[in-house]
Amino acid sequence: MKAAINEVNFNEIQTEVLIVGTFKHPENTENWSEFVSFYGSSLNKWLKSGDVSTDRKVLTKLPTLQDGQLQRIFFVGLGDRKSLTQDDLRDIFGTVGKELVASKTTKVSIWLESFTNDDIDIEDTTYLAAEGIGMGLYQVPNYKTSSNKVDYYLDEIELLTKSDEQEVLAYFELGQVYAAAVNEARTLVNMPSNVLTATKMAEYAKELAEEYDFEYEELGKKEMEELGMGAILAVNQGSTEEPRLMVMKYRASDDWNDVVGLVGKGVTYDTGGYSIKPKDGLVGMKGDMGGAAAVLGAMRIIGETRPNQNVIAVIAATDNMISGNAFKPDDVITSLSGKTIEILNTDAEGRLVLADAVTYAKQNGANYIVDVATLTGGVIVALGMDKTGALTNDEAFFETFLEASVETGEFVWRLPLTENDKKRLRKSDVADLNNSPGRDGHMIFGGGFVGEFVDNTPWIHLDIAGTSAASTSHDLGPKGGTGAMVRSLATLVERMGEDK
Ligand code: BES
Ligand code: ZN
Ligand code: ZN
């Protein structure tokens, strides 16, 4: 998509649609009177009658009254000027993106100044427009052979502003980078598991690494056996598909001693194994690699923005299947760390693959770890579908992350992890740990189990079982994969780099 910047001159617009931010008192917007004289004075009447709404998130589409290229104006209701937040504006631009898809608009102009207030300047607006519209434009790829194929793309965005061209363009491009990475993660989550196998995911990761010059390493079944990755191997045991561990290193400096590890659960399909899921619980389990998608998306942003922070990404991919070879409850396995695990539930597989992935990240230099995973139904019970659940062992690290998540508008809520919880994870007659201490508060056990493998490394666990896929369409995109945590992880790394 092409982006161009031009001065606010309504008579010169060559695109199909003009997007106009419409606050409750639009007359306070700079150049509003020029806009009214360009559009036609009936506008004042319609604003008064409510035919053009200034209510927040209400979009009014009107045709233009003159001949020319410009066909339509989208009046985007912003409500009260003072109370509009950046999160509101991102969502609003998301709905604009969705409307551009619905109307198949290929060339659009955005009047940037019409969206600003005292707290949201032109740079913020530009960034949020790129990010929000970029996410709103997302369409789920499908396998339909005739109708409804994805055949619409926005070709051109013209930004109308009096501000400095280069600066505005840089913010716009950054927003586009973030949105594109989110959308890629969404597509990975939306892909069926017969298409996105662990091997395929690794091909994707390798290409990503090549594109951005990351060091790349890939472990298959044989390498895992040699290293003793008994946890991920146990999960993979019932499968005809090979597992993959993908490792990417982004070097911001010559020394490798200040490294953030991003660790993702990449279960390409979770049947539950012998602790099999009920049939309604199976549908959607193609998305059990949402953590892997989040890490891959964040790495794409990191590759584009090149922050001043070393990063290692480790993604553990396999499906969780049933066969004569599959692992079973009562099995005892030995993880890469050497810790033994009594399997009580084969459906608590995510924590197993993460155990080995976290250990591998540590062995390869990670001294901060964030793991991200669609780990438990428990987080949905606790927090609903719109909040990511978190655990941590480090207040300061968590604070930095929380600030990043507030910046991106991704809601994260921390749950406690107590000594008593840890005691229950370590309770087993036959092994060091058990993989399922109980259903009470089990989000904590899922993440807490992973915590047993990080030791004293500052660590954050993110359970995105609720947030990774949406069951209905929302402001920032359609039903399906959301790309949850892509932006927060990338922003965390960016902010950590700035502190040096
Ligand atoms: N992949 C699931 C968690 C999940 C549930 C993700 C719903 C997305 C939507 C995970 O592997 C799982 O099965 N967890 C179990 C853990 C239990 C066996 C302790 C769960 O949450 O029921
Ligand atoms: Zn499971
Ligand atoms: Zn799972």
Side-chain angles (χ1 to χ4, degrees), residues 131-204:
E131 188 175 87
I133 293 176
M135 288 194 275
L137 284 172
Y138 179 73
Q139 302 164 85
V140 178
N142 64 47
Y143 301 83
K144 292 174 192 279
T145 49
S146 53
S147 60
N148 292 329
K149 273 189 94 73
V150 173
D151 62 356
Y152 159 74
Y153 296 98
L154 183 66
D155 294 331
E156 202 180 307
I157 291 196
E158 180 191 41
L159 304 169
L160 302 178
T161 179
K162 58 174 192 193
S163 278
D164 176 69
E165 186 164 331
Q166 284 320 309
E167 192 129 316
V168 169
L169 212 53
Y171 278 92
F172 193 78
E173 279 164 7
L174 187 63
Q176 279 190 306
V177 163
Y178 270 66
V182 166
N183 292 345
E184 289 250 342
R186 289 171 168 181
T187 291
L188 292 171
V189 170
N190 290 331
M191 281 165 89
S193 74
N194 59 329
V195 177
L196 189 71
T197 58
T199 317
K200 271 276 147 52
M201 197 193 292
E203 280 171 23
Y204 178 94

Side-chain angles (χ1 to χ4, degrees), residues 224 227-231 334-339 355-357 359-360 363 453:
M224 291 180 190
L227 289 168
M229 292 190 163
T334 304
S335 64
L336 175 64
S337 71
K339 287 195 168 119
D356 282 350
T359 304
Y360 200 71
Q363 288 177 353
F453 297 84

Side-chain angles (χ1 to χ4, degrees), residues 210-254:
E210 276 166 8
E211 188 172 346
Y212 294 110
D213 220 9
F214 301 145
E215 280 171 39
Y216 182 72
E217 184 191 18
E218 190 176 309
L219 310 183
K221 192 169 178 168
K222 192 167 140 268
E223 293 82 6
M224 291 180 190
E225 281 165 355
E226 281 163 13
L227 289 168
M229 292 190 163
I232 183 170
L233 284 168
V235 176
N236 179 256
Q237 220 169 273
S239 181
T240 51
E241 284 290 337
E242 274 229 5
R244 284 287 182 272
L245 194 93
M246 297 147 240
V247 186
M248 277 177 252
K249 287 183 186 157
Y250 164 73
R251 285 183 192 271
S253 59
D254 290 340

Side-chain angles (χ1 to χ4, degrees), residues 108-122:
V108 67
S109 299
I110 307 170
W111 176 14
L112 291 176
E113 268 92 2
S114 67
F115 289 89
T116 57
N117 67 11
D118 286 346
D119 299 324
I120 308 175
D121 61 17
I122 203 74

Side-chain angles (χ1 to χ4, degrees), residues 265 270 288 349 374:
K265 168 180 174 181
D270 184 10
D288 209 16
E349 85 298 340
T374 50

Side-chain angles (χ1 to χ4, degrees), residues 402-436:
L402 204 57
E403 278 168 23
S405 75
V406 167
E407 209 178 304
T408 60
E410 298 196 283
F411 201 112
V412 175
W413 196 255
R414 179 182 167 186
L415 282 88
L417 171 62
T418 65
E419 288 309 312
N420 193 43
D421 298 323
K422 293 178 195 167
K423 215 155 91 192
R424 288 179 63 187
L425 284 160
R426 294 169 191 159
K427 190 170 176 294
S428 168
D429 293 336
V430 291
D432 300 327
L433 297 165
N434 79 80
N435 83 329
S436 182

